[in-house]
Amino acid sequence: MALLCGSILAACAPASAQVRIKDITDIQGIRDNQLIGYGLVVGLNGTGDSLNNAIFTRQSLIGMLERLGVNTEDQAASLQTKDVAAVMVTANLPAFSHSGEQIDVTVSALGDAKDLTGGTLLVTPLLGADGQVYAVAQGSLVTGAIKASGANSTFTQGVPTVGRITNGAIVERSVNFNLASETTPKLELRNPDFTTAERIAEAINADLGPGIATMDDPRTITLDLKGRNVVQDLADIEDLRVQPSSPATVVVDEATGTIVMGADVRISTVAIAQGNLTVQVTNTPVVSQPAPFSNGRTVSTAQTTISVNKGKGKKMDILHGSVSLRQLVSGLNALGVAPHDMISILQAIKAAGALQAQLIVQ
C-alpha cells in the first residue's frame, strides 16, 4: 500500500505544476484601449475647486451653463461656488466591447478640490488615442476615503480626490477586430522563455496536428490555422496544459525586507557565519538628596549601564551544494537570521559566486 501511494504521488506531482496556456499567454492584438475625458463634478459640500485659483473650472462652468441656456458671462466675476470641481476621467475599453455595454471609470481631481466624496460626474465624453468618442461617463462617484478634522489635527485615510464609478460609462463605439479572419494568430508569453515556448508549441502540435504551432522567439508562437475554425481552435488551445519553466531568480526589496526566491534557485557549497555585536547603553536617572540642614541642593544625575552581546552560540555553518531553496531557507532560519540580515547574506553569496541565480535588488 505504501508503495502504491508513493507511485500515485509521484505520478501526480508533475501534473500539479502544469498550468493552462491561457494563464501564461495572450493573443496578439487582443488588448484594452485607454480612454480619457475632461468633465465636471458637482454636488460637493464646499470641498470643490476655488474658482479664483482654478480658472479652467470657472470657464468650464460658464460654458456648461451657457449650453443649458443660462447666461452667466456678465456675472462671471461673482461666481464663488465651491461645490464644483474639474476632473479627469479615465477608463479602459476592453477588447470585443460593443455599443451599449457599461465599463468602470476613475475620476481624479484636476484643480485644488479637497474632497470628491458625494459628488456627481456630469456627462463626459471619453476619447481614444485617435480623438474619437468611444464612451460617455456620468454618475455618482465613491472615493472610499475617510477624512476627519478638528481644531488642531486632521485625519485622512485613503485619497479623497480620486473616486470611481462602477459601470459609470456606456460604450458608444466598439473597436473593430475580426478574430475569425486571423488565419495566423500569434500567442505571446507574458514571461518570455525558450523552454516554455517550446513546450507550448509541442502541446499544440500534439493536440491539433503537426505544423500548427511554430516558435518564433522566446515570446512569440505563430499558429497556422488556415482552413480551420480559428475561434474554436483558440478555445481548445487555451485549455491545454503545459509546465512553464522560469529562470532562477532572487528578488530582494531592501526597503521592506522582502525576499522572494524561485524554486530553481541553487547554492553551491559555501560557509556562512552570521552574528552581530550588540551594544546596549541604558541611562537611569538618579536623584541625589542632601542631608537636612546641610544647605545642599538636590541634584539629578544619570547612572549609565553598558551591556555587550557578542552573539554567542551562533557559529559558522556550511551549506553543501547543490542546495535547494528549501534547504537554503531552513539553514538560514536555523542560524536565526532576520530578513534584513538574510539580504546581506544573499548579496555576499552572490559576490562569492556561489548563488546560481539572478539577484535583483529593488
Side-chain angles (χ1 to χ4, degrees), residues 35 57 65 77 106-107 114 117 131 134-135 156 159 202 230 271 276-277 281 324 327 350 357:
L35 306 178
T57 306
L65 293 177
T106 301
V107 182
K114 301 299 187 297
T117 302
Y134 286 89
T156 302
V159 182
E202 292 176 352
V230 177
N276 296 324
L277 176 64
V281 180
S324 65
Q327 295 170 326
K350 179 65 175 179

Side-chain angles (χ1 to χ4, degrees), residues 24-269:
I24 58 177
T25 63
D26 294 312
I27 300 176
Q28 190 178 82
I30 298 180
R31 59 178 179 84
D32 294 350
N33 291 275
Q34 296 176 333
L35 306 178
I36 188 171
Y38 170 83
L40 291 176
V41 171
V42 299
L44 302 176
N45 188 18
T47 59
D49 291 339
S50 174
L51 300 186
N52 293 329
N53 297 330
I55 306 300
F56 47 84
T57 306
R58 179 190 296 273
Q59 295 176 346
S60 300
L61 179 59
I62 294 174
M64 181 197 67
L65 293 177
E66 288 184 349
R67 288 193 298 270
L68 296 177
V70 181
N71 185 9
T72 58
E73 186 67 30
D74 298 336
Q75 304 294 329
S78 61
L79 291 176
Q80 297 297 331
T81 179
K82 291 186 178 181
D83 296 340
V84 182
V87 295
M88 297 301 297
V89 184
T90 57
N92 285 332
L93 181 65
F96 306 114
S97 295
H98 298 286
S99 177
E101 294 184 12
Q102 294 179 327
I103 57 177
D104 300 342
V105 298
T106 301
V107 182
S108 306
L110 186 61
D112 57 356
K114 301 299 187 297
D115 195 342
L116 298 180
T117 302
T120 301
L121 175 69
L122 300 182
V123 175
T124 304
L126 301 180
L127 311 178
D130 56 359
Q132 300 294 325
V133 176
Y134 286 89
V136 176
Q138 179 174 273
S140 301
L141 58 92
V142 178
T143 62
I146 300 175
K147 186 175 182 180
S149 60
N152 299 319
S153 63
T154 301
F155 171 79
T156 302
Q157 181 177 346
V159 182
T161 54
V162 177
R164 190 171 180 84
I165 306 177
T166 304
N167 295 330
I170 300 176
V171 177
E172 300 292 340
R173 183 198 302 263
S174 59
V175 179
N176 295 326
F177 183 80
N178 190 0
L179 182 60
S181 64
E182 296 289 332
T183 57
T184 56
K186 297 179 182 293
L187 297 179
E188 293 185 343
L189 274 72
R190 296 169 188 169
N191 297 312
D193 183 79
F194 278 107
T195 304
T196 305
E198 182 182 12
R199 291 174 181 174
I200 292 176
E202 292 176 352
I204 295 174
N205 291 330
D207 184 75
L208 300 182
I212 295 295
T214 304
M215 182 181 65
D216 297 338
D217 50 58
R219 179 183 291 274
T220 309
I221 300 169
T222 301
L223 305 177
D224 185 4
L225 302 179
K226 296 178 182 178
R228 304 174 62 97
N229 189 330
V230 177
V231 177
Q232 182 62 46
D233 286 342
L234 289 176
D236 295 337
I237 290 173
E238 285 186 337
D239 281 337
L240 297 179
R241 293 181 176 270
V242 297
Q243 183 175 355
S245 176
S246 58
T249 306
V250 179
V251 181
V252 172
D253 188 343
E254 290 186 316
T256 61
T258 303
I259 303 173
V260 179
M261 292 183 280
D264 294 327
V265 175
R266 292 293 183 269
I267 305 293
S268 301
T269 301

Side-chain angles (χ1 to χ4, degrees), residues 243-307:
Q243 183 175 355
S245 176
S246 58
T249 306
V250 179
V251 181
V252 172
D253 188 343
E254 290 186 316
T256 61
T258 303
I259 303 173
V260 179
M261 292 183 280
D264 294 327
V265 175
R266 292 293 183 269
I267 305 293
S268 301
T269 301
V270 63
I272 300 176
Q274 194 276 338
N276 296 324
L277 176 64
T278 303
V279 180
Q280 182 177 3
V281 180
T282 305
N283 291 322
T284 304
V286 177
V287 178
S288 177
Q289 185 70 24
F293 307 106
S294 62
N295 296 326
R297 294 186 304 169
T298 301
V299 179
S300 177
T301 60
Q303 181 178 356
T304 302
T305 303
I306 301 177
S307 60

Side-chain angles (χ1 to χ4, degrees), residues 259 267 270-275 319 328 331-333 335-352 354-355 359:
I259 303 173
I267 305 293
V270 63
I272 300 176
Q274 194 276 338
L319 299 179
L328 171 63
L332 294 178
N333 287 336
L335 292 174
V337 179
H340 286 284
D341 294 332
M342 195 177 298
I343 293 175
S344 300
I345 291 176
L346 289 173
Q347 291 175 332
I349 294 176
K350 179 65 175 179
L355 179 61
L359 180 62

